[in-house]
Amino acid sequence: MILEKRSPGETIKAIRKKRGMTQRDVADTLGTTVSSVSRYESGSRLMSVERFEEILDILSAEYTVRY
């Protein structure tokens, strides 16, 4: 899936919705709260690269940065 000009959080949200998953699904798998997932998606909470990769793994997705 190619999503251009989106923040990592917006990308996660779009892929999560396309996969039919809820924030609760992602939070439970990560062992975190729905509130944290919501803040990652909105950009109000920064996430580490490792956390971003964990979420992408849960969503069975890849993310490529192009310059």
Side-chain angles (χ1 to χ4, degrees):
M1 172 190 295
I2 298 174
L3 301 171
E4 297 190 25
K5 297 187 180 183
R6 291 191 181 189
S7 70
E10 291 170 329
T11 300
I12 287 169
K13 183 176 182 178
I15 296 170
R16 175 182 60 73
K17 286 186 168 196
K18 183 172 177 93
R19 300 274 193 269
M21 295 178 74
T22 65
Q23 288 179 337
R24 167 71 61 205
D25 296 331
V26 175
D28 288 348
T29 305
L30 283 175
T32 193
T33 64
V34 172
S35 178
S36 288
V37 173
S38 175
R39 286 184 272 160
Y40 292 147
E41 289 182 354
S42 71
S44 65
R45 180 175 183 167
L46 296 178
M47 69 184 115
S48 66
V49 171
E50 292 81 14
R51 180 60 90 179
F52 183 59
E53 290 173 344
E54 285 179 285
I55 296 170
L56 290 177
D57 284 344
I58 291 166
L59 299 174
S60 300
E62 296 179 354
Y63 186 78
T64 301
V65 176
R66 296 187 183 162
Y67 298 95

